[in-house]
Amino acid sequence: MMDLFISIPFAPDFDAVSRAITEVAKERRLVPYRVDEVNLAEPIAQSIDRKIRESRIVIADVTGSNPNVLHELGQAQSLGKPIVIISQDDPRSAPFNIRGMRVHRYNLNNLTDTS
């Protein structure tokens, strides 16, 4: 069972962010899922769609307005999933269609690296 879908850019700069989210999720007895950390036989787009549908919560990191993250955020919105939006960027710089949503800003330097 998967409770939490993590939508985050696939870049090493975001590994600490993903680890922090995963750690908090597990403390709260949620099962996190990040699509680039699992090898599945199905096409990645199909896997993303299925995993978003199966999730109870979606966390989307919109730092840099990554197109894949924004697409996954849109999918979650269309399904009515509860969404937590986070970003390192000033929320006022977010794309206009999510600017009205609550964007939780974080500082990468304040994350504890648990690797």
mmCIF file of all heavy atoms in Angstrom, residues 38-61:
data_model
loop_
_atom_site.group_PDB
_atom_site.id
_atom_site.type_symbol
_atom_site.label_atom_id
_atom_site.label_comp_id
_atom_site.label_asym_id
_atom_site.label_seq_id
_atom_site.Cartn_x
_atom_site.Cartn_y
_atom_site.Cartn_z
ATOM 1 N N VAL A 38 11.972 3.434 -8.043
ATOM 2 C CA VAL A 38 11.398 2.104 -8.157
ATOM 3 C C VAL A 38 11.464 1.658 -9.613
ATOM 4 O O VAL A 38 11.157 2.428 -10.515
ATOM 5 C CB VAL A 38 9.922 2.104 -7.673
ATOM 6 C CG1 VAL A 38 9.305 0.740 -7.832
ATOM 7 C CG2 VAL A 38 9.834 2.583 -6.235
ATOM 8 N N ASN A 39 11.861 0.425 -9.834
ATOM 9 C CA ASN A 39 11.887 -0.135 -11.191
ATOM 10 C C ASN A 39 10.606 -0.922 -11.418
ATOM 11 O O ASN A 39 10.344 -1.902 -10.730
ATOM 12 C CB ASN A 39 13.097 -1.057 -11.379
ATOM 13 C CG ASN A 39 14.401 -0.293 -11.333
ATOM 14 O OD1 ASN A 39 14.474 0.829 -11.820
ATOM 15 N ND2 ASN A 39 15.419 -0.887 -10.755
ATOM 16 N N LEU A 40 9.816 -0.473 -12.361
ATOM 17 C CA LEU A 40 8.565 -1.145 -12.690
ATOM 18 C C LEU A 40 8.579 -1.572 -14.155
ATOM 19 O O LEU A 40 9.244 -0.961 -14.981
ATOM 20 C CB LEU A 40 7.382 -0.210 -12.436
ATOM 21 C CG LEU A 40 7.213 0.265 -10.993
ATOM 22 C CD1 LEU A 40 6.148 1.349 -10.904
ATOM 23 C CD2 LEU A 40 6.853 -0.897 -10.092
ATOM 24 N N ALA A 41 7.797 -2.587 -14.454
ATOM 25 C CA ALA A 41 7.744 -3.093 -15.819
ATOM 26 C C ALA A 41 6.897 -2.214 -16.735
ATOM 27 O O ALA A 41 7.088 -2.216 -17.942
ATOM 28 C CB ALA A 41 7.193 -4.516 -15.820
ATOM 29 N N GLU A 42 5.999 -1.442 -16.168
ATOM 30 C CA GLU A 42 5.103 -0.625 -16.982
ATOM 31 C C GLU A 42 5.781 0.685 -17.385
ATOM 32 O O GLU A 42 6.746 1.112 -16.750
ATOM 33 C CB GLU A 42 3.803 -0.344 -16.224
ATOM 34 C CG GLU A 42 3.965 0.511 -14.998
ATOM 35 C CD GLU A 42 2.709 0.586 -14.150
ATOM 36 O OE1 GLU A 42 1.636 0.178 -14.600
ATOM 37 O OE2 GLU A 42 2.812 1.055 -13.010
ATOM 38 N N PRO A 43 5.272 1.344 -18.434
ATOM 39 C CA PRO A 43 5.820 2.651 -18.833
ATOM 40 C C PRO A 43 5.716 3.652 -17.676
ATOM 41 O O PRO A 43 4.760 3.616 -16.899
ATOM 42 C CB PRO A 43 4.930 3.077 -20.001
ATOM 43 C CG PRO A 43 4.344 1.806 -20.523
ATOM 44 C CD PRO A 43 4.206 0.899 -19.324
ATOM 45 N N ILE A 44 6.692 4.542 -17.566
ATOM 46 C CA ILE A 44 6.766 5.459 -16.436
ATOM 47 C C ILE A 44 5.525 6.346 -16.326
ATOM 48 O O ILE A 44 5.026 6.581 -15.222
ATOM 49 C CB ILE A 44 8.066 6.287 -16.459
ATOM 50 C CG1 ILE A 44 8.268 6.967 -15.103
ATOM 51 C CG2 ILE A 44 8.069 7.287 -17.585
ATOM 52 C CD1 ILE A 44 9.668 7.478 -14.869
ATOM 53 N N ALA A 45 4.997 6.830 -17.448
ATOM 54 C CA ALA A 45 3.802 7.691 -17.401
ATOM 55 C C ALA A 45 2.613 6.930 -16.825
ATOM 56 O O ALA A 45 1.823 7.478 -16.043
ATOM 57 C CB ALA A 45 3.472 8.231 -18.785
ATOM 58 N N GLN A 46 2.494 5.674 -17.181
ATOM 59 C CA GLN A 46 1.412 4.830 -16.668
ATOM 60 C C GLN A 46 1.599 4.593 -15.165
ATOM 61 O O GLN A 46 0.637 4.633 -14.395
ATOM 62 C CB GLN A 46 1.411 3.509 -17.425
ATOM 63 C CG GLN A 46 0.202 2.661 -17.237
ATOM 64 C CD GLN A 46 0.245 1.437 -18.145
ATOM 65 O OE1 GLN A 46 1.109 1.287 -19.011
ATOM 66 N NE2 GLN A 46 -0.696 0.548 -17.944
ATOM 67 N N SER A 47 2.835 4.384 -14.748
ATOM 68 C CA SER A 47 3.145 4.178 -13.342
ATOM 69 C C SER A 47 2.810 5.430 -12.524
ATOM 70 O O SER A 47 2.220 5.347 -11.444
ATOM 71 C CB SER A 47 4.623 3.826 -13.179
ATOM 72 O OG SER A 47 4.965 3.742 -11.822
ATOM 73 N N ILE A 48 3.193 6.596 -13.041
ATOM 74 C CA ILE A 48 2.901 7.855 -12.350
ATOM 75 C C ILE A 48 1.398 8.032 -12.182
ATOM 76 O O ILE A 48 0.915 8.331 -11.087
ATOM 77 C CB ILE A 48 3.522 9.049 -13.109
ATOM 78 C CG1 ILE A 48 5.047 9.020 -12.972
ATOM 79 C CG2 ILE A 48 2.949 10.374 -12.620
ATOM 80 C CD1 ILE A 48 5.777 9.955 -13.911
ATOM 81 N N ASP A 49 0.659 7.831 -13.247
ATOM 82 C CA ASP A 49 -0.797 7.975 -13.193
ATOM 83 C C ASP A 49 -1.392 7.032 -12.153
ATOM 84 O O ASP A 49 -2.193 7.446 -11.306
ATOM 85 C CB ASP A 49 -1.400 7.699 -14.568
ATOM 86 C CG ASP A 49 -2.904 7.847 -14.570
ATOM 87 O OD1 ASP A 49 -3.394 8.948 -14.263
ATOM 88 O OD2 ASP A 49 -3.593 6.844 -14.872
ATOM 89 N N ARG A 50 -0.983 5.784 -12.172
ATOM 90 C CA ARG A 50 -1.522 4.788 -11.239
ATOM 91 C C ARG A 50 -1.155 5.130 -9.801
ATOM 92 O O ARG A 50 -1.991 5.082 -8.891
ATOM 93 C CB ARG A 50 -1.009 3.391 -11.603
ATOM 94 C CG ARG A 50 -1.606 2.279 -10.747
ATOM 95 C CD ARG A 50 -1.251 0.888 -11.268
ATOM 96 N NE ARG A 50 0.173 0.697 -11.446
ATOM 97 C CZ ARG A 50 1.030 0.424 -10.460
ATOM 98 N NH1 ARG A 50 0.602 0.333 -9.231
ATOM 99 N NH2 ARG A 50 2.316 0.230 -10.713
ATOM 100 N N LYS A 51 0.095 5.510 -9.576
ATOM 101 C CA LYS A 51 0.549 5.801 -8.220
ATOM 102 C C LYS A 51 -0.111 7.058 -7.647
ATOM 103 O O LYS A 51 -0.411 7.114 -6.455
ATOM 104 C CB LYS A 51 2.075 5.921 -8.167
ATOM 105 C CG LYS A 51 2.788 4.600 -8.412
ATOM 106 C CD LYS A 51 2.417 3.589 -7.346
ATOM 107 C CE LYS A 51 3.242 2.335 -7.447
ATOM 108 N NZ LYS A 51 2.922 1.355 -6.406
ATOM 109 N N ILE A 52 -0.358 8.060 -8.476
ATOM 110 C CA ILE A 52 -1.079 9.239 -7.998
ATOM 111 C C ILE A 52 -2.500 8.841 -7.602
ATOM 112 O O ILE A 52 -3.007 9.257 -6.561
ATOM 113 C CB ILE A 52 -1.067 10.377 -9.040
ATOM 114 C CG1 ILE A 52 0.353 10.953 -9.160
ATOM 115 C CG2 ILE A 52 -2.060 11.482 -8.659
ATOM 116 C CD1 ILE A 52 0.524 11.952 -10.281
ATOM 117 N N ARG A 53 -3.133 8.017 -8.421
ATOM 118 C CA ARG A 53 -4.497 7.562 -8.116
ATOM 119 C C ARG A 53 -4.534 6.774 -6.803
ATOM 120 O O ARG A 53 -5.486 6.889 -6.038
ATOM 121 C CB ARG A 53 -5.048 6.692 -9.243
ATOM 122 C CG ARG A 53 -5.424 7.455 -10.468
ATOM 123 C CD ARG A 53 -5.942 6.507 -11.561
ATOM 124 N NE ARG A 53 -6.108 7.219 -12.801
ATOM 125 C CZ ARG A 53 -7.134 7.993 -13.093
ATOM 126 N NH1 ARG A 53 -8.103 8.142 -12.227
ATOM 127 N NH2 ARG A 53 -7.203 8.622 -14.244
ATOM 128 N N GLU A 54 -3.511 5.966 -6.544
ATOM 129 C CA GLU A 54 -3.469 5.122 -5.352
ATOM 130 C C GLU A 54 -3.090 5.890 -4.082
ATOM 131 O O GLU A 54 -3.336 5.411 -2.980
ATOM 132 C CB GLU A 54 -2.460 3.981 -5.542
ATOM 133 C CG GLU A 54 -2.871 2.966 -6.572
ATOM 134 C CD GLU A 54 -1.780 1.936 -6.859
ATOM 135 O OE1 GLU A 54 -0.676 2.027 -6.272
ATOM 136 O OE2 GLU A 54 -2.033 1.034 -7.672
ATOM 137 N N SER A 55 -2.495 7.049 -4.236
ATOM 138 C CA SER A 55 -1.999 7.785 -3.067
ATOM 139 C C SER A 55 -3.134 8.453 -2.292
ATOM 140 O O SER A 55 -4.179 8.771 -2.842
ATOM 141 C CB SER A 55 -0.987 8.847 -3.499
ATOM 142 O OG SER A 55 -1.632 9.878 -4.210
ATOM 143 N N ARG A 56 -2.876 8.635 -1.001
ATOM 144 C CA ARG A 56 -3.805 9.400 -0.159
ATOM 145 C C ARG A 56 -3.435 10.871 -0.171
ATOM 146 O O ARG A 56 -4.296 11.731 -0.043
ATOM 147 C CB ARG A 56 -3.761 8.874 1.277
ATOM 148 C CG ARG A 56 -4.420 7.531 1.436
ATOM 149 C CD ARG A 56 -4.436 7.016 2.863
ATOM 150 N NE ARG A 56 -4.542 8.065 3.873
ATOM 151 C CZ ARG A 56 -3.987 7.986 5.079
ATOM 152 N NH1 ARG A 56 -3.295 6.928 5.417
ATOM 153 N NH2 ARG A 56 -4.133 8.957 5.947
ATOM 154 N N ILE A 57 -2.135 11.167 -0.294
ATOM 155 C CA ILE A 57 -1.605 12.528 -0.233
ATOM 156 C C ILE A 57 -0.529 12.677 -1.302
ATOM 157 O O ILE A 57 0.211 11.729 -1.572
ATOM 158 C CB ILE A 57 -0.983 12.820 1.144
ATOM 159 C CG1 ILE A 57 -1.993 12.592 2.264
ATOM 160 C CG2 ILE A 57 -0.423 14.242 1.219
ATOM 161 C CD1 ILE A 57 -1.369 12.532 3.640
ATOM 162 N N VAL A 58 -0.401 13.866 -1.874
ATOM 163 C CA VAL A 58 0.663 14.165 -2.834
ATOM 164 C C VAL A 58 1.453 15.355 -2.301
ATOM 165 O O VAL A 58 0.870 16.360 -1.897
ATOM 166 C CB VAL A 58 0.088 14.488 -4.232
ATOM 167 C CG1 VAL A 58 1.185 14.955 -5.175
ATOM 168 C CG2 VAL A 58 -0.636 13.275 -4.799
ATOM 169 N N ILE A 59 2.776 15.214 -2.286
ATOM 170 C CA ILE A 59 3.649 16.342 -1.990
ATOM 171 C C ILE A 59 4.339 16.701 -3.294
ATOM 172 O O ILE A 59 4.956 15.840 -3.937
ATOM 173 C CB ILE A 59 4.691 16.012 -0.906
ATOM 174 C CG1 ILE A 59 4.002 15.792 0.432
ATOM 175 C CG2 ILE A 59 5.732 17.141 -0.809
ATOM 176 C CD1 ILE A 59 4.932 15.552 1.588
ATOM 177 N N ALA A 60 4.219 17.960 -3.692
ATOM 178 C CA ALA A 60 4.810 18.421 -4.950
ATOM 179 C C ALA A 60 5.798 19.546 -4.669
ATOM 180 O O ALA A 60 5.433 20.562 -4.085
ATOM 181 C CB ALA A 60 3.723 18.905 -5.901
ATOM 182 N N ASP A 61 7.047 19.344 -5.088
ATOM 183 C CA ASP A 61 8.071 20.379 -4.946
ATOM 184 C C ASP A 61 8.145 21.140 -6.266
ATOM 185 O O ASP A 61 8.648 20.625 -7.264
ATOM 186 C CB ASP A 61 9.416 19.753 -4.601
ATOM 187 C CG ASP A 61 10.469 20.776 -4.225
ATOM 188 O OD1 ASP A 61 10.425 21.913 -4.754
ATOM 189 O OD2 ASP A 61 11.350 20.451 -3.416
#
